Amino acid sequence: MTDRYAVIGNPIAHSKSPAIHAAFAHQTEQDMDYGRILGDPDDFAGDVRAFVAAGGRGLNVTVPFKERAWELLDDLSDRARAARAVNTLMVSDGGILHGDNTDGIGLIRDLAENQGFSFPGRSVLLVGAGGAARGVLVPLLETGVAALTIANRTADKAHALADAMRAMGPVSGCGLNQLWDQRFDLIINATSSGLHGASPSLPSHCLAERGWVYDMYYADTPTPFCRWGQERGARRVLDGLGMLVEQAAESFLLWRGLRPDTVPVIKALREGQL
Ligand code: ATR
């Protein structure tokens, strides 16, 4: 029987996950179907129950349900527990639900494997202190960075997040307007400012010479943060399309035990063929 998977979010029509997983399934010859579910903001748990009752094997969870999925599930991976968010849900044979979070490892794999960024010893700035930032913090600290600074418009949230992660590695928090004279080898945008057509306001000097800029979001045209990086002469400017495909590949690996080749899928998406 064909195994059923889906992505649940609201809105969901724009999601590229069905196309990405269909490409993975085709490439690895897996008999699986991957659909979209428009989640009910007032009854996420009911939507999940209905999917499982109908024989569903796994879900990807996206905005605005990642935190709710975290609250709902008892069985969580360490990285999902730390992120306080779940983006991948697996249904075991007995109908037990397991939650994981592949966003952070997707970001790391895109930067390290696809783009060749070397993390150990680097100084990294993570801009934003909301759910997207929390989702990638632990995997970032595990890469062996020399220092990870969380900078947020609302400084208190950056301090709180850094305090919560202190045991995991060299992390500190500050306000966006407190980046006095630091220079960073990599600046990652994890704010939602691009959704409003803006880039977070960062001082120009904070990008090291030959530093990299990564926007966790993506669009068909350069995002405002990518434009910020281009204007400051960043060595590399990347958007989050690769992260999107890599986090999907990690979900696929959890569900099917196979690692798909992400390179042709990223290329097809970039060229508008998926
Ligand atoms: P998400 O789950 O996408 O991270 P969120 O939890 O609502 O969404 O967090 C949004 C993040 O984007 C926050 O860090 C927010 O900063 P504040 O905590 O100060 O609100 C940040 N953000 C949104 N718009 C921004 C802007 N125009 N400039 C800078 N930061 C912005």
Side-chain angles (χ1 to χ4, degrees):
M1 202 175 81
T2 303
D3 287 336
R4 288 186 56 216
Y5 298 85
V7 56
I8 182 166
N10 192 326
I12 200 61
H14 67 287
S15 173
K16 302 229 185 267
S17 293
I20 294 170
H21 282 281
F24 290 164
H26 180 73
Q27 186 194 103
T28 56
E29 301 181 340
Q30 295 292 292
D31 184 14
M32 59 186 277
D33 175 70
Y34 187 109
R36 284 187 177 84
I37 299 172
L38 180 65
D40 178 348
D42 297 322
D43 194 16
F44 173 71
D47 287 336
V48 172
R49 270 197 308 274
F51 180 75
V52 174
R57 305 288 303 167
L59 283 170
N60 279 135
V61 182
T62 188
V63 179
F65 299 121
K66 290 184 190 186
E67 284 84 4
R68 245 176 282 175
W70 182 85
E71 289 162 0
L72 185 70
L73 301 188
D74 293 325
D75 186 47
L76 295 169
S77 68
D78 288 348
R79 59 192 183 189
R81 192 169 293 113
R84 302 179 67 85
V86 162
N87 82 332
T88 306
L89 195 150
M90 291 150 281
V91 185
S92 67
D93 286 339
I96 312 273
L97 302 181
H98 310 273
D100 207 330
N101 192 315
T102 65
D103 286 332
I105 192 67
L107 169 74
I108 304 302
R109 284 191 69 89
D110 189 36
L111 269 159
E113 310 287 329
N114 298 339
Q115 309 296 339
F117 184 81
S118 171
F119 282 96
R122 298 306 177 102
S123 160
V124 177
L125 175 63
L126 181 65
V127 188
R134 213 172 40 232
V136 300
L137 262 175
V138 170
L140 271 174
L141 285 168
E142 286 173 349
T143 60
V145 292
L148 178 62
T149 303
I150 305 167
N152 196 44
R153 183 174 59 183
T154 311
D156 286 354
K157 281 165 68 178
H159 288 301
L161 198 49
D163 287 347
M165 297 288 164
R166 189 88 62 212
M168 302 290 306
V171 58
S172 60
C174 68
L176 273 182
N177 55 1
Q178 294 168 322
L179 292 162
W180 313 124
D181 54 5
Q182 295 110 306
R183 302 266 185 285
F184 299 94
D185 302 311
L186 170 65
I187 305 181
I188 301 168
N189 178 34
T191 74
S192 52
S193 64
L195 300 177
H196 316 291
S199 172
S201 29
L202 290 171
S204 293
H205 69 253
C206 66
L207 181 66
E209 208 177 318
R210 300 183 64 69
W212 291 41
V213 161
Y214 194 102
D215 195 343
M216 282 173 45
Y217 296 86
Y218 71 92
D220 293 338
T221 52
T223 65
F225 186 66
C226 285
R227 286 202 302 274
W228 180 89
Q230 282 160 356
E231 284 158 15
R232 274 142 199 90
R235 178 178 177 196
R236 298 288 302 278
V237 176
L238 302 160
D239 70 14
L241 187 71
M243 174 180 171
L244 175 76
V245 176
E246 293 297 339
Q247 62 80 28
E250 290 292 324
S251 298
F252 192 89
L253 176 64
L254 289 170
W255 292 329
R256 310 300 297 185
L258 293 166
R259 181 178 288 288
D261 182 3
T262 52
V263 173
V265 180
I266 294 171
K267 183 167 181 283
L269 280 169
R270 192 68 79 193
E271 292 171 356
Q273 285 158 9
L274 267 186

